Amino acid sequence: MSNESIVEDSIFRIGKVTSVDGRTIKVSVDKAKNSSHLIYKGDLIKNVSVGSYIKIIKGFTIIIGKVEGEFTYEDKIISSKEYSSDKEKINRTLSVSLLGFFNKKEFERGIKEMPLVDSECYLLNRIEFNQVHDFIRKTDEPLVIGTLTLEKGQKITVGIDSLFASHIGIFGNTGSGKSYTLAKLYFELFKIYKNNEKFKQKSNFFLLDFNGEYVTESENVIIPKDYKNIYRLTTKNNDGQKYPISKETLYDHSFWAIVLEATEKTQTPFLRRAIGNKSLAEKIKTNDSLKELIKNTFWLGIAKNDGELGQKVLIEFLSELYYSLGHSNLLNIRDAIRERITFYAKDNKREFVYIDTKGEWYWDNNMKTKILEHFEELELPDIEINDLDVLKLQIIFQYYDEIIKGFANIEHLAPLIKRLGKNFSDIRKVIEAKEDVSTSKNFTIVSLKEVNIHMRKILPLLLCKQLYEKQKTKNDETSHLNIIIDEAHNILSRDSNRESEQWKDYRLETFEEIIKEGRKFGVFLTLASQRPSDISSTIISQLHNYFLHRLINNNDIIAVEKTISYLDKLSFEYLPILPTGTCILAGLSAQVPVVIDIGAIDEEFEPNNKTRSLIENWKE
Amino acid sequence: MDIEKYKNTIQDCNLNFLVGSGLSVPYFSTLGNIEVLLTELDKNTTLTPNEKTIIRASILGKYFKTVISKNPQIIDETIPDVSRDEVLVNYKNFLVYLNTIVLKRKSTILNKQVNLFTTNIDIFFEKALENNQLEYNDGFYGRFKPTFNLTNFKNSLFKKSLHYDNTSEIPVFNLLKVHGSLTWESDKDKIVYSGLRAIDDVQVKFNAVESDLIDFTKSATIDSHFTTEVKSKTISSNYSEFLEEYKKFAVVNPTKEKFQDTILNLQYYELLRLFSNELEKENTILIVFGFSMADEHIREIVTRAANSNPTLTIKVFAYDNSAKLEIEANLKKGSAAIRYNNIEVIEIEDTTKKFDFKTFNDEFLKAILDKID
């Protein structure tokens, strides 16, 4: 046995320490250990190279270091032409940074003791190598996600707890394999748990897909279609799938504050008043009372005799109603009335006057009768209007009501009403209100491929916020929500000229809150993005686990360097040269940053993000 | 088969091959029971010396006819022979693939030599090496009287480029024929290169005796088959003349009692020592195919080296599943006698195929070569 260990030592010894300088030490490599592999007991073992680990033995202490660089110079004394072997000529020196040590056969990060000059250095044997790369805590379950790039065949497993109960960031240039990595993580998770009842009840996964990569024709990406809900939203027409929201959410003013991009100080309280106005809602629901309401509101405006308000606002009111109600003859009525009424201002008389076709003037009650005559002809569409329309009308009525009564400032609220039409018509294409929105499937994919740019900003926020708030109020410590956002720069970017500062702040704050506080409520984010420099640094730096693919842009690399504390110098330098499908895993779930080849997903479950081949398509 | 792993192994290992009679199939059939018969014959006590001579002549005669006498045809390509060409192509591919692999292997600590240990006495390797103008070393030195000497192995060849005077090593195959070769002839205390001269001489003697020989099948045994038939034969000088002439071949005959000739005996042991030395080197791979590991001497060396050198890895390619089982039994695989787990017997994954020479070339060497490019 002792003989055995001597043999082993002679095979695994690769050199000795020649200098110690802080955390960096230099190792001179034995001349016979310059091949790239060694054979031991029928096993192929990778020899030392940049990126590999060595153990340095100092007495009984075993210190683990990572090779960060190597240098060679020719040995001038031995380099004679006469009688030599090539291997004698080369002196190889490694620069090694210390990482951790073995404590009772378990690897631990951190350094307690420094090596001495002349301490012997060895390759790690298979068991030790596995221990350094064993990221699974005792209470955790393993998940195989790929193999080590520098050591083919070495599987890398991470703990399910330490990965999925954390915020994950997947960054890399386009075409570097981000989406594949994202899919792989969840593919592996679902492979294990998809039929587990408790898993179905307790956890919820929500994937936002901006480019439709996860909704292929067969709908089997990540998991078979039977296990998930897919919504392909579109703003191009009204026939697309719609994301269901509960009635409760529909009457939540903060929901509409997001949809209508309401300002916090004036517009949001207005929305609260409008949506909370139950009596208004009741009146809108039936045709007769609605007619009554239109008449009354209009007359109220006239009766105010307010020159500031003018007839323009009242005419606008009718137009707005027409566009919200659809088929009605409101426009004819509007035009008729517009010709007949004017605002008369002379001496101290300032009031509306009605002039009929013969040129006769009417005031006060006479005028009222004349005007109401016009409304007698009003015909409203005889179809039941849905909740969304009711809400829209509620907002319109509330707005004109408040304007007419002088409760609200027209300058403050007018922008909101301007947005109302467009945003409403967009939102009704993508959502629908339902009494019951519960589902037995715990994985939801929402594709925003066909959604216009405007809605792409609003919808994710809307859906995430709603899910987050719901999870927050659940108050169930065992439940768990994973929000997965591919191409996250779409909604988490700091720079966007399209939107107001205020709104942008609100958008970022919402996600920052999820990042900062989500953990307490079991809400976790998985972000994938090709522009880490674009994403708020607060968000990036708060992530727990990083999968870093190739990054070329200098700004992105700097953003990663500045914000990610788990990355060592060597891994960092790998960033621009990583091949597709290879990434660096760093963070809480890995003891040491490792470069891994992401394992394959069965073809059926792959995301649809193949790089196109031009010449393939041009072939006859 | 994890080709990537084999590629890396070959990249960083001293390369050794051990090949046997399986390579030259179908041109030569495998030896069958000849070894068993010759051994049985030696042990037999009931037969008279004359009867033994007749039987020995019959057995060796068959060996001469089916194996040895077919060798001149390997060189003479004017005689058409489909199975010869087929085998020759296999040899050619094997050597060319291997040569390319070694040529592409740039390493400061490994040379570009490949050791080919073979128990075959035929001349396919020499023919294929020469046909493809590959550099090889068969242990002979000299032109007028090429003489065999162990020290001639391991010579490296370097080429200088015409333009810049750079030197570069070129791949060399060391051809180590541990059971001798038909091209060898013993001359006093030396082994000299004879070409295939001896075959013609023996052929004359064989023709004289051929009709008197006892024919036998693969399943024949000394007891049942030869003993009755030999009674009907009368001893003539033809038998012993044939056997005397046959002795010219400096080859180890397929029998357990292999070594009568002292010089051959010596060379045989020296070659095995070289084999053993090569296996003791660090980071060494031994690839075995076409060889059943039935030869006790060689098997002994292989297992001994495997047990003492943990940096040696041995890959034995088995023709099919039954061959695999046989080889594993021969190597006592799985028993406590094997210390390190460094011998692997490999059978083909696609069970519709067999691991013959062609398959080995295509699915192993060629596959590795494809990985390199």
Side-chain angles (χ1 to χ4, degrees):
Chain A
M1 195 59 214
S2 68
N3 187 32
E4 189 99 330
S5 73
I6 289 168
V7 169
E8 196 168 309
D9 280 359
S10 100
I11 293 165
F12 281 87
R13 192 194 122 114
I14 50 114
K16 58 185 185 182
V17 176
T18 53
S19 88
V20 182
D21 181 12
R23 231 186 82 179
T24 311
I25 61 165
K26 292 233 171 352
V27 173
S28 156
V29 182
D30 291 348
K31 284 174 179 168
K33 298 289 164 58
N34 283 334
S35 59
S36 50
H37 293 89
L38 296 176
I39 304 279
Y40 183 61
K41 295 189 179 178
D43 210 357
L44 189 70
I45 294 169
K46 205 167 153 71
N47 205 347
V48 276
S49 60
V50 172
S52 69
Y53 300 97
I54 58 167
K55 64 176 176 186
I56 303 153
I57 307 218
K58 176 196 178 190
F60 296 124
T61 317
I62 298 175
I63 304 162
I64 303 294
K66 186 178 187 182
V67 181
E68 294 209 321
E70 54 174 319
F71 319 92
T72 60
Y73 56 92
E74 206 168 311
D75 200 327
K76 290 281 188 301
I77 305 165
I78 291 173
S79 161
S80 77
K81 285 270 176 198
E82 295 310 312
Y83 203 78
S84 66
S85 118
D86 257 358
K87 62 181 172 189
E88 292 297 318
K89 287 187 202 161
I90 291 161
N91 268 328
R92 188 166 166 223
T93 306
L94 307 175
S95 135
V96 176
S97 77
L98 300 177
L99 270 185
F101 58 96
F102 273 113
N103 187 10
K104 288 179 191 138
K105 289 281 162 202
E106 256 190 51
F107 177 71
E108 266 184 55
R109 270 192 94 122
I111 295 298
K112 282 187 175 167
E113 254 188 276
M114 297 296 286
L116 290 173
V117 167
D118 258 10
S119 294
E120 287 194 310
C121 303
Y122 293 87
L123 281 179
L124 302 187
N125 64 30
R126 189 60 69 186
I127 299 163
E128 290 159 336
F129 188 82
N130 285 343
Q131 278 165 346
V132 172
H133 290 95
D134 183 15
F135 302 148
I136 316 290
R137 273 188 230 106
K138 285 203 176 65
T139 52
D140 215 338
E141 288 269 333
L143 193 75
V144 181
I145 54 170
T147 55
L148 216 53
T149 305
L150 295 175
E151 181 79 30
K152 292 269 185 284
Q154 174 68 30
K155 281 201 177 78
I156 287 295
T157 49
V158 290
I160 289 176
D161 256 354
S162 61
L163 189 64
F164 291 100
S166 80
H167 301 307
I168 305 169
I170 303 170
F171 301 116
N173 276 77
T174 171
S176 61
K178 286 184 309 297
S179 306
Y180 201 86
T181 302
L182 180 75
K184 171 73 178 176
L185 294 182
Y186 287 93
F187 169 73
E188 289 296 333
L189 180 71
F190 276 95
K191 203 158 85 179
I192 303 176
Y193 285 103
K194 68 180 177 210
N195 289 321
N196 179 322
E197 276 310 314
K198 280 219 153 160
F199 172 74
K200 283 186 195 171
Q201 288 162 17
K202 294 289 181 188
S203 67
N204 195 1
F205 298 84
F206 181 81
L207 192 153
L208 269 177
D209 176 12
F210 281 94
N211 295 335
E213 288 170 28
Y214 302 90
V215 286
T216 53
E217 225 149 85
S218 59
E219 302 196 341
N220 280 337
V221 179
I222 301 179
I223 44 167
K225 58 179 162 193
D226 299 342
Y227 290 90
K228 62 190 173 187
N229 299 312
I230 290 179
Y231 300 102
R232 290 187 181 82
L233 305 185
T234 174
T235 53
K236 286 186 179 151
N237 52 52
N238 216 351
D239 313 325
Q241 284 167 313
K242 293 182 173 57
Y243 185 81
I245 58 164
S246 63
K247 283 272 164 73
E248 206 180 313
T249 313
L250 193 72
Y251 290 101
D252 178 5
H253 71 274
S254 54
F255 177 87
W256 291 105
I258 298 172
V259 173
L260 299 173
E261 300 163 68
T263 59
E264 204 183 338
K265 292 261 165 56
T266 50
Q267 295 174 355
T268 308
F270 161 73
L271 280 175
R272 190 192 300 141
R273 291 196 296 275
I275 293 165
N277 195 338
K278 286 278 182 299
S279 65
L280 203 55
E282 283 309 311
K283 284 179 192 159
I284 292 167
K285 274 178 191 157
T286 61
N287 261 351
D288 290 340
S289 57
L290 179 60
K291 257 187 208 170
E292 219 34 51
L293 189 64
I294 296 171
K295 266 194 279 188
N296 290 345
T297 312
F298 190 81
W299 174 245
L300 201 66
I302 300 289
K304 263 225 111 179
N305 282 333
D306 186 345
E308 290 282 309
L309 205 60
Q311 76 201 78
K312 193 164 150 268
V313 172
L314 293 169
I315 296 302
E316 236 176 53
F317 165 64
L318 295 181
S319 319
E320 201 72 63
L321 279 179
Y322 169 77
Y323 291 120
S324 305
L325 277 171
H327 313 283
S328 70
N329 57 353
L330 258 171
L331 276 194
N332 304 340
I333 296 171
R334 181 195 71 181
D335 294 341
I337 295 181
R338 183 156 56 187
E339 278 180 27
R340 298 287 146 238
I341 57 170
T342 32
F343 193 72
Y344 177 78
K346 207 174 181 186
D347 306 331
N348 44 9
K349 225 179 176 23
R350 294 172 176 277
E351 54 190 351
F352 282 105
V353 61
Y354 184 93
I355 308 166
D356 73 4
T357 39
K358 293 168 195 151
E360 224 164 307
W361 290 33
Y362 299 84
W363 276 282
D364 298 332
N365 274 340
N366 293 339
M367 177 167 76
K368 187 176 180 180
T369 343
K370 279 288 175 192
I371 288 174
L372 294 187
E373 268 169 27
H374 283 285
F375 283 104
E376 289 305 315
E377 295 157 24
L378 178 61
E379 279 168 27
L380 293 178
D382 205 20
I383 38 164
E384 208 173 312
I385 49 177
N386 65 27
D387 290 316
L388 275 168
D389 296 315
V390 172
L391 256 171
K392 189 179 176 191
L393 288 174
Q394 243 172 291
I395 293 166
I396 291 171
F397 278 112
Q398 182 76 23
Y399 169 70
Y400 286 100
D401 190 53
E402 291 193 7
I403 293 296
I404 290 164
K405 287 179 179 156
F407 291 167
N409 192 330
I410 194 163
E411 276 88 40
H412 287 159
L413 295 187
L416 182 77
I417 301 301
K418 293 246 166 59
R419 285 194 290 270
L420 191 63
K422 168 86 177 103
N423 287 15
F424 236 97
S425 76
D426 280 345
I427 199 82
R428 65 192 300 159
K429 285 175 190 161
V430 292
I431 64 163
E432 61 185 338
K434 278 200 168 158
E435 294 291 345
D436 182 21
V437 290
S438 62
T439 161
S440 61
K441 301 168 183 178
N442 67 341
F443 190 24
T444 305
I445 297 181
V446 175
S447 162
L448 301 178
K449 192 183 174 192
E450 307 267 286
V451 168
N452 62 27
I453 296 173
H454 184 64
M455 271 306 168
R456 276 181 181 217
K457 295 263 183 223
I458 293 170
L459 260 182
L461 180 61
L462 202 63
L463 304 182
C464 293
K465 176 124 177 132
Q466 186 208 338
L467 284 167
Y468 176 60
E469 296 293 339
K470 202 167 116 199
Q471 178 73 17
K472 216 164 139 182
T473 49
K474 244 187 206 169
N475 215 2
D476 176 3
E477 279 181 10
T478 57
S479 90
H480 159 269
L481 166 71
N482 267 54
I483 299 176
I484 308 156
I485 307 173
D486 197 4
E487 311 291 350
H489 50 270
N490 277 320
I491 49 163
L492 297 178
S493 79
R494 275 176 288 121
D495 319 298
S496 162
N497 299 327
R498 311 179 51 86
E499 35 180 11
S500 70
E501 280 301 312
Q502 229 173 355
W503 162 251
K504 191 159 66 192
D505 286 347
Y506 177 68
R507 179 166 59 76
L508 285 177
E509 269 165 25
T510 307
F511 283 102
E512 279 171 18
E513 189 193 330
I514 299 180
I515 284 264
K516 283 186 223 160
E517 314 289 339
R519 206 182 172 84
K520 295 172 203 156
F521 312 109
V523 181
F524 301 100
L525 277 180
T526 302
L527 306 175
S529 172
Q530 42 177 292
R531 303 271 307 145
S533 61
D534 232 15
I535 297 180
S536 145
S537 58
T538 320
I539 290 177
I540 293 193
S541 61
Q542 299 269 342
L543 299 171
H544 303 112
N545 288 301
Y546 300 88
F547 291 85
L548 300 167
H549 285 264
R550 180 179 60 240
L551 283 171
I552 310 259
N553 185 301
N554 209 30
N555 286 339
D556 292 332
I557 296 176
I558 290 169
V560 164
E561 185 187 19
K562 267 200 269 183
T563 43
I564 301 177
S565 49
Y566 299 101
L567 218 55
D568 63 321
K569 182 172 146 268
L570 186 70
S571 309
F572 176 71
E573 278 170 2
Y574 269 127
L575 277 180
I577 53 166
L578 288 170
T580 299
T582 300
C583 66
I584 300 170
L585 165 63
L588 284 180
S589 67
Q591 288 172 354
V592 288
V594 283
V595 186
I596 52 178
D597 285 351
I598 294 296
I601 307 175
D602 301 347
E603 206 171 314
E604 195 188 351
F605 304 114
E606 276 179 12
N608 170 30
N609 59 353
K610 295 280 169 301
T611 308
R612 276 173 209 195
S613 164
L614 289 180
I615 42 174
E616 197 60 42
N617 294 334
W618 294 341
K619 270 182 193 156
E620 301 236 344
Chain B
M1 230 177 1
D2 186 354
I3 292 295
E4 183 73 28
K5 197 173 162 186
Y6 288 113
K7 188 191 94 181
N8 287 333
T9 313
I10 285 183
Q11 173 194 297
D12 289 306
C13 279
N14 296 306
L15 278 175
N16 296 284
F17 285 84
L18 173 61
V19 294
S21 56
L23 267 70
S24 305
V25 178
Y27 189 63
F28 301 132
S29 57
T30 44
L31 293 182
N33 61 341
I34 288 178
E35 174 164 353
V36 181
L37 289 176
L38 286 172
T39 315
E40 260 183 69
L41 184 66
D42 283 339
K43 285 184 187 157
N44 194 298
T45 50
T46 55
L47 293 161
T48 64
N50 278 346
E51 284 167 347
K52 279 196 175 184
T53 306
I54 295 171
I55 296 173
R56 177 180 291 279
S58 301
I59 297 169
L60 289 178
K62 176 147 185 173
Y63 185 52
F64 176 78
K65 193 182 175 193
T66 53
V67 176
I68 297 173
S69 69
K70 285 168 85 179
N71 272 278
Q73 210 169 309
I74 296 172
I75 303 176
D76 191 354
E77 284 183 76
T78 54
I79 306 166
D81 190 318
V82 180
S83 60
R84 176 203 60 208
D85 292 344
E86 186 190 329
V87 173
L88 208 51
V89 164
N90 287 341
Y91 273 92
K92 181 208 142 194
N93 286 343
F94 171 74
L95 292 165
V96 170
Y97 292 153
L98 203 55
N99 190 68
T100 321
I101 290 172
V102 178
L103 186 69
K104 290 191 174 182
R105 181 173 79 172
K106 309 276 180 192
S107 165
T108 49
I109 67 169
L110 287 172
N111 56 30
K112 292 199 185 331
Q113 302 218 338
V114 180
N115 296 321
L116 302 172
F117 294 94
T118 174
T119 54
N120 296 349
I121 56 169
D122 64 57
I123 53 160
F124 267 116
F125 263 127
E126 287 91 333
K127 171 70 179 167
L129 283 159
E130 273 190 24
N131 265 10
N132 295 291
Q133 304 204 346
L134 299 171
E135 293 297 341
Y136 74 104
N137 203 331
D138 58 359
F140 284 96
Y141 184 78
R143 289 287 186 273
F144 297 111
K145 193 176 182 184
T147 311
F148 183 83
N149 194 327
L150 231 46
T151 55
N152 291 332
F153 284 113
K154 306 289 292 179
N155 288 350
S156 274
L157 275 168
F158 285 81
K159 221 167 211 161
K160 259 189 179 160
S161 74
L162 278 172
H163 317 291
Y164 294 103
D165 228 11
N166 288 336
T167 31
S168 171
E169 190 179 355
I170 47 179
V172 173
F173 292 94
N174 293 317
L175 185 59
L176 300 117
K177 301 176 99 169
V178 292
H179 279 178
S181 171
L182 291 174
T183 59
W184 296 9
E185 227 169 83
S186 49
D187 177 15
K188 290 173 205 134
D189 57 346
K190 287 194 192 103
I191 285 182
V192 293
Y193 190 80
S194 73
L196 294 176
R197 197 169 48 214
I199 292 177
D200 296 336
D201 301 342
V202 179
Q203 189 77 48
V204 176
K205 301 288 177 191
F206 173 75
N207 290 344
V209 79
E210 191 180 3
S211 55
D212 294 333
L213 294 175
I214 303 166
D215 194 25
F216 61 97
T217 60
K218 277 194 173 179
S219 57
T221 60
I222 297 284
D223 290 335
S224 69
H225 192 84
F226 290 97
T227 43
T228 46
E229 246 185 277
V230 77
K231 306 288 182 205
S232 62
K233 302 277 177 192
T234 46
I235 184 80
S236 74
S237 61
N238 282 348
Y239 291 113
S240 48
E241 275 171 30
F242 165 67
L243 285 177
E244 203 50 45
E245 200 65 41
Y246 183 91
K247 276 188 187 166
K248 271 194 176 175
F249 297 130
V251 298
V252 176
N253 278 314
T255 151
K256 306 264 180 206
E257 307 293 324
K258 282 168 181 161
F259 330 101
Q260 308 97 336
D261 203 46
T262 45
I263 175 67
L264 188 61
N265 199 356
L266 182 74
Q267 293 304 345
Y268 176 73
Y269 273 110
E270 289 287 286
L271 279 166
L272 290 186
R273 184 174 59 83
L274 207 65
F275 180 53
S276 168
N277 283 351
E278 288 298 326
L279 297 188
E280 286 297 336
K281 286 186 173 173
E282 88 274 2
N283 271 11
T284 297
I285 183 167
L286 175 68
I287 295 170
V288 184
F289 68 98
F291 190 78
S292 65
M293 284 286 172
D295 189 309
E296 254 175 68
H297 293 85
I298 293 172
R299 182 170 74 215
E300 195 60 29
I301 291 169
V302 169
T303 46
R304 201 148 21 99
N307 276 345
S308 72
N309 182 3
T311 70
L312 165 72
T313 182
I314 298 169
K315 309 286 178 197
V316 187
F317 289 83
Y319 182 69
D320 55 15
N321 189 261
S322 70
K324 183 185 179 199
L325 297 175
E326 187 194 333
I327 293 167
E328 282 181 338
N330 283 340
L331 287 170
K332 297 190 183 66
K333 208 172 175 313
S335 77
I338 301 294
R339 199 154 128 221
Y340 307 119
N341 193 23
N342 51 358
I343 301 180
E344 191 186 356
V345 183
I346 299 156
E347 66 179 318
I348 195 156
E349 280 157 24
D350 179 357
T351 47
T352 58
K353 291 186 192 166
K354 307 277 186 195
F355 242 131
D356 55 16
F357 200 4
K358 185 177 183 313
T359 320
F360 175 82
N361 284 339
D362 291 347
E363 303 205 356
F364 185 73
L365 287 182
K366 178 85 170 25
I368 288 173
L369 199 57
D370 289 343
K371 279 257 173 190
I372 295 172
D373 286 323

